[in-house]
């Protein structure tokens, strides 16, 4: 178990670094005020309109970095700062979330796949760790065979979450690419503002990369335990 704790510690450390850098980047580019004077909400509405999307609402949601697109309610939810502020960071986030709305409107295959997995993954991720730990404990104390089966079930559940995290990567990168392409093509931002928006989205995407790699590393560790128990 020591190896597991060391692995988790390393993942947490890398995740903290990326998260800390992301927040630092957003603070930096929040000081780069847009020359066009548009707010995040105005940018979001314009991007939706430019893509022929009129049934998606842009609303403000409490918190920081709580921005997301809700495909069920068809809302682009922007955190209070992004919704009202007029800077490169707000422009990047607003356009990125609208990128998801464009994906939805165009039936982007990776987004459809991720959405289909949400109900299953929400349950799997909630119980997988408990099932895995239960299997390991059973193997060591009560019944080795039963413990193996429980451990395997937990690994399968955890694997669903890992799969989901990797499917999320093309969805997030594509949304950022759509956002940046639109910001540049429509001259929403100046070259300097564009570079700030691009850098902010790059670090935002890295949080998903770290999550996916961390999930895969943990999955492989548990698989190693299972295979080792069969020797």
């Amino acid at each position: 178990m020591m190896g597991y704790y060391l692995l988790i510690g390393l993942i947490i450390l890398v995740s903290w670094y990326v998260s800390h850098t992301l927040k630092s980047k957003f603070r930096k580019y929040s000081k780069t005020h847009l020359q066009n004077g548009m707010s995040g909400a105005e940018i979001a509405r314009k991007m939706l309109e430019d893509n022929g999307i009129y049934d998606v609402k842009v609303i403000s949601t409490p918190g920081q970095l709580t921005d997301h697109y809700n495909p069920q309610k068809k809302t682009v939810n922007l955190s209070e700062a992004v919704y009202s502020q007029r800077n490169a960071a707000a422009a990047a986030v607003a356009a990125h979330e609208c990128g998801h709305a464009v994906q939805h409107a165009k039936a982007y295959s990776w987004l459809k796949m991720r959405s289909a997995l949400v109900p299953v993954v929400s349950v799997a991720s909630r119980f997988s760790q408990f099932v895995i730990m239960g299997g390991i404990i059973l193997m060591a104390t009560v019944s080795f065979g039963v413990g193996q089966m429980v451990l395997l079930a937990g690994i399968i559940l955890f694997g669903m979450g890992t799969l989901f995290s990797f499917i999320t990567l093309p969805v997030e990168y594509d949304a950022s690419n759509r956002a940046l392409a639109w910001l540049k093509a429509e001259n929403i931002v100046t070259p300097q503002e564009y570079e700030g928006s691009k850098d902010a989205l790059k670090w935002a995407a890295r949080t998903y990369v770290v999550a996916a790699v961390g999930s895969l590393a943990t999955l492989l560790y548990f698989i190693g335990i299972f295979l080792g128990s069969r020797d």
Side-chain angles (χ1 to χ4, degrees), residues 49-216:
E49 290 174 2
D50 287 354
N51 283 276
I53 301 173
Y54 300 100
D55 59 345
V56 174
K57 293 182 179 180
V58 179
I59 63 176
S60 178
T61 187
Q64 183 181 20
L65 298 179
T66 52
D67 313 87
H68 64 282
Y69 170 64
N70 188 320
Q72 283 75 40
K73 296 182 178 180
K74 286 198 171 184
T75 56
V76 170
N77 302 269
L78 302 179
S79 59
E80 294 167 340
V82 171
Y83 187 90
S84 59
Q85 290 186 8
R86 307 167 190 273
N87 52 59
V93 174
H96 172 87
E97 297 308 332
C98 287
H100 288 308
V102 175
Q103 290 173 337
H104 190 196
K106 295 187 177 182
Y108 180 58
S109 58
W110 286 101
L111 179 65
K112 289 175 65 178
M113 195 183 308
R114 187 178 74 167
S115 298
L117 284 174
V118 168
V120 178
V121 172
S122 62
V123 175
S125 60
R126 190 179 307 165
F127 297 107
S128 60
Q129 295 273 11
F130 296 106
V131 176
I132 287 171
M133 292 305 168
I136 293 173
I137 292 171
L138 286 172
M139 286 167 57
T141 58
V142 181
S143 173
F144 188 82
V146 172
Q148 271 192 324
M149 289 189 291
V150 173
L151 174 59
L152 180 59
I155 289 172
I156 293 172
L157 290 175
F158 193 91
M160 291 179 182
T162 301
L163 175 63
F164 183 82
S165 66
F166 275 91
I167 290 176
T168 294
L169 294 181
V171 174
E172 295 300 325
Y173 274 96
D174 179 78
S176 290
N177 290 338
R178 291 175 190 268
L180 292 170
W182 177 79
L183 288 171
K184 190 172 186 178
E186 299 299 321
N187 294 314
I188 302 298
V189 291
T190 66
Q192 179 186 0
E193 293 163 356
Y194 175 83
E195 290 303 318
S197 297
K198 183 178 179 180
D199 193 33
L201 290 180
K202 177 181 70 177
W203 279 97
R206 285 175 178 173
T207 62
Y208 293 98
V209 174
V210 170
V213 172
S215 182
L216 177 61

Side-chain angles (χ1 to χ4, degrees), residues 20-70:
H20 175 77
T21 304
L22 172 62
K23 291 177 181 178
S24 176
K25 293 289 184 179
F26 271 88
R27 283 195 299 269
K28 176 182 177 181
Y29 298 123
S30 291
K31 298 176 183 177
T32 304
H33 298 288
L34 298 182
Q35 289 189 14
N36 63 18
M38 295 177 69
S39 67
E42 291 168 341
I43 288 173
R45 293 189 183 101
K46 178 168 174 52
M47 183 170 174
L48 292 173
E49 290 174 2
D50 287 354
N51 283 276
I53 301 173
Y54 300 100
D55 59 345
V56 174
K57 293 182 179 180
V58 179
I59 63 176
S60 178
T61 187
Q64 183 181 20
L65 298 179
T66 52
D67 313 87
H68 64 282
Y69 170 64
N70 188 320

Side-chain angles (χ1 to χ4, degrees), residues 4-25:
Y4 172 70
Y5 291 126
L6 288 174
L7 175 63
I8 293 300
L10 178 61
I11 293 171
I12 291 174
L13 182 63
V14 174
S15 179
W16 173 86
Y17 172 75
V18 173
S19 178
H20 175 77
T21 304
L22 172 62
K23 291 177 181 178
S24 176
K25 293 289 184 179

